Amino acid sequence: MMNDEQFTRLVRRYLDTVFRVALNYLRNPADAEDVSQTVFEKLLRERKLFESEEHVRNWLIRVAVNECKKLLRSPWRRVEPIEDYARTLAFDTPARSDLFRAVMDLPQKYRVAIYLHYYEGYSTKEIGDILRIPKNTVCSHLKRGRDLLREALQEADDNV
Amino acid sequence: MFEQEYTEMFSQITASEGLYGRVMTMKNEQKRKRSSLGRIAMAAALIALMVISVSASETVQNWFIDFFAGINRGELSQEQVEYIEENAQPILDSQTHNGWTVELNSAIRDERTAYIIFHIEGPEDVDLSKWTDEAGNLRGQILFGNSGMPAYLRGLDQFFDFDENVEHGGWGYYWMDDGDGKDYTENLVFDLEPEMMNNDSEPFGEETVYHFRFQDIVWYWRDLEYEQELRNGKYAGQDVTQFTDEENRKLHRWEILAEGVWEFEISFGQLEFVEGESLEG
């Protein structure tokens, strides 16, 4: 069982990561907060000895993905427009705000793969291990997701 | 270019201060909780002669804790957790037909409502977890029904008969993950809040028996593509949620997975409860 100092350090370091993974998965900030809380509750109860910083991060993301899957199967899901949340985010440029909306409009499987690859820096093989899908599927999700994003942003530009 | 824009955009999305606060104080909550768990462990040792094993009791407690955390949006008080740990009762009465086992697993009650968990186990090639499609839309669910008719389209008596002294009852049911990692097992949780004919009679007394009858296991789903087609075909000003009977029949689809009747009787008279205690809210 980890001590207070270790736990606090891991919260400071990884809570944002876990929240972003859950937000990408669920597209709902309230549910993403619930999942993040559950993940860190599990970390507190976890008796496993983590071998490295990388090991902890992978474990947290894997548990977050599992909790998101569980929540999607729950009959208690809240439905809240992502637009409401987007309005609360103070992006420094309109382009970033458009990008956020375009990302959130992507199908879930593309959102998560893109986040893990471009933000967290995971390789396609590592993403495959985390999401339990073949590496080639991850590659196609990344490509298809990027294409869809490009189209959406192009469309937004044209409309402007 | 895309990568840089993307990372800069997401670096502006962070967990809220409220979430940071809740997570940071968890360690203290955990310390408080451990003292009550110690008490439960001692009580469990004292009742080692009970027929039901301690591990079954723990599983049942954890399922009820997950269930009530779900309906209370994660806000279970320490008292509620202790109440569940002390009063959740394993029953473990099961029946199997056509490869499907339905187990009347456990029950708990508070002052007004009883909650019953049925544990469902299908053949190993069945995936009971297919709640959503790849885009995260709710796609379908397993239900019990007669002649292919999903249960939600039928009346209250689809699931159980009330005792003759019960005037009517509020009820609901929820599917929940049983956490065993197997796609072919799930929990079905019922809540019952009966109103009695006679105000003096006890809805959960020993003499009041509830009869559950599950007939046929049905996979139900909405045809989302057809629904979109219908919505696209509506004129401006038309209500996009109103469909004709014929359209509804095509929209709500179902398939019988197993025929059979699983019947159980339960009386709540043996269940301990605390007056004024509510497990919800």
Side-chain angles (χ1 to χ4, degrees):
Chain A
M1 189 83 66
M2 64 184 58
N3 63 34
D4 288 12
E5 197 182 320
Q6 287 167 323
F7 181 72
T8 304
R9 189 181 65 77
L10 291 175
V11 173
R12 291 217 171 97
R13 185 146 194 184
Y14 294 119
L15 181 59
D16 286 344
T17 300
V18 169
F19 175 74
R20 289 186 198 116
V21 168
L23 182 66
N24 271 288
Y25 209 105
L26 301 166
R27 213 175 166 268
N28 180 319
D31 283 344
E33 289 210 347
D34 286 352
V35 162
S36 307
Q37 202 166 330
T38 307
V39 170
F40 281 89
E41 273 167 14
K42 291 200 167 189
L43 179 67
L44 264 182
R45 290 200 299 265
E46 182 59 49
R47 291 179 183 279
K48 173 191 293 189
L49 286 175
F50 294 103
E51 296 155 11
S52 61
E53 198 68 26
E54 204 49 32
H55 189 188
V56 183
R57 185 169 79 129
N58 290 353
W59 185 91
L60 287 167
I61 293 177
R62 179 74 223 148
V63 174
V65 167
N66 282 343
E67 287 301 318
C68 290
K69 285 182 182 169
K70 203 157 122 185
L71 193 79
L72 284 179
R73 291 161 54 187
S74 156
W76 305 293
R77 280 201 77 207
R78 285 167 287 205
V79 180
E80 290 168 18
I82 191 70
E83 201 55 37
D84 291 353
Y85 178 61
R87 275 194 283 270
T88 68
L89 298 169
F91 288 112
D92 45 14
T93 64
R96 282 193 189 144
S97 182
D98 288 345
L99 179 59
F100 176 74
R101 286 175 171 82
V103 167
M104 287 295 136
D105 281 343
L106 288 176
Q108 175 205 87
K109 57 190 175 186
Y110 304 149
R111 286 198 303 269
V112 179
I114 285 182
Y115 176 78
L116 292 175
H117 186 64
Y118 288 106
Y119 197 91
E120 297 296 335
Y122 281 109
S123 69
T124 49
K125 185 188 174 307
E126 288 167 329
I127 297 171
D129 290 342
I130 289 172
L131 300 177
R132 304 268 158 85
I133 53 176
K135 182 185 158 189
N136 289 345
T137 309
V138 177
C139 293
S140 70
H141 285 182
L142 288 174
K143 182 178 181 316
R144 184 73 189 123
R146 270 194 315 259
D147 290 348
L148 283 174
L149 265 183
R150 197 173 301 121
E151 284 166 25
L153 293 171
Q154 184 61 50
E155 212 171 279
D157 271 356
D158 292 348
N159 288 339
V160 171
Chain B
M1 180 59 190
F2 162 76
E3 193 175 342
Q4 189 184 341
E5 271 299 305
Y6 182 89
T7 3
E8 285 175 6
M9 181 270 287
F10 259 108
S11 64
Q12 289 181 252
I13 297 173
T14 54
S16 68
E17 283 178 21
L19 178 60
Y20 263 98
R22 289 196 298 281
V23 174
M24 286 292 193
T25 52
M26 268 179 201
K27 191 81 187 167
N28 302 333
E29 296 292 326
Q30 189 80 357
K31 282 176 189 162
R32 277 203 291 277
K33 192 173 174 181
R34 223 174 294 142
S35 63
S36 80
L37 288 177
R39 208 177 67 222
I40 296 294
M42 196 164 71
L46 290 174
I47 53 168
L49 290 177
M50 280 184 67
V51 178
I52 305 296
S53 72
V54 173
S55 65
S57 299
E58 282 175 358
T59 304
V60 166
Q61 288 164 10
N62 289 336
W63 281 346
F64 274 119
I65 287 170
D66 283 351
F67 172 72
F68 289 110
I71 56 177
N72 291 329
R73 304 303 319 161
E75 300 293 329
L76 277 195
S77 68
Q78 185 63 23
E79 288 73 25
Q80 284 172 317
V81 171
E82 286 178 10
Y83 185 89
I84 292 166
E85 288 170 342
E86 285 163 16
N87 296 299
Q89 179 67 54
I91 300 170
L92 311 182
D93 173 16
S94 71
Q95 292 168 28
T96 303
H97 300 295
N98 289 322
W100 287 76
T101 300
V102 178
E103 177 185 68
L104 170 52
N105 174 273
S106 49
I108 192 169
R109 62 165 293 197
D110 57 24
E111 189 172 30
R112 293 176 56 84
T113 313
Y115 303 85
I116 307 112
I117 292 181
F118 287 92
H119 186 241
I120 316 292
E121 181 169 342
E124 289 190 17
D125 58 347
V126 168
D127 187 353
L128 293 176
S129 65
K130 287 181 180 170
W131 284 90
T132 54
D133 65 12
E134 288 177 337
N137 300 307
L138 194 62
R139 185 170 65 175
Q141 56 182 308
I142 297 282
L143 293 170
F144 293 89
N146 274 334
S147 312
M149 178 77 82
Y152 83 105
L153 292 176
R154 298 176 60 84
L156 174 66
D157 57 358
Q158 170 64 39
F159 283 123
F160 49 87
D161 298 329
F162 279 127
D163 181 276
E164 60 184 9
N165 293 316
V166 177
E167 186 174 12
H168 65 272
W171 67 290
Y173 69 94
Y174 313 84
W175 284 95
M176 63 177 281
D177 185 11
D178 58 7
D180 67 357
K182 296 173 187 166
D183 290 336
Y184 57 94
T185 66
E186 288 276 294
N187 284 335
L188 178 63
V189 189
F190 275 85
D191 63 42
L192 295 179
E193 194 178 324
E195 296 288 336
M196 305 302 280
M197 295 274 194
N198 175 350
N199 285 339
D200 294 335
S201 52
E202 162 56 52
F204 298 128
E206 268 182 65
E207 72 288 354
T208 308
V209 176
Y210 294 82
H211 180 196
F212 281 78
R213 184 174 191 276
F214 301 109
Q215 178 166 349
D216 298 343
I217 294 175
V218 178
W219 168 244
Y220 156 79
W221 74 98
R222 275 165 84 91
D223 186 335
L224 296 175
E225 282 178 15
Y226 179 63
E227 185 172 7
Q228 193 55 51
E229 197 182 301
L230 288 176
R231 286 174 190 269
N232 292 343
K234 297 280 180 189
Y235 299 107
Q238 271 187 313
D239 184 345
V240 293
T241 61
Q242 291 296 313
F243 303 115
T244 66
D245 289 348
E246 178 59 25
E247 287 168 339
N248 266 322
R249 265 193 292 280
K250 289 185 188 168
L251 188 59
H252 300 282
R253 311 280 294 278
W254 57 81
E255 174 193 345
I256 300 179
L257 298 178
E259 291 184 343
V261 176
W262 295 257
E263 288 185 89
F264 303 91
E265 286 192 341
I266 181 169
S267 161
F268 300 95
Q270 302 295 324
L271 287 182
E272 297 288 330
F273 75 104
V274 176
E275 279 184 30
E277 184 66 46
S278 173
L279 286 159
E280 291 188 46

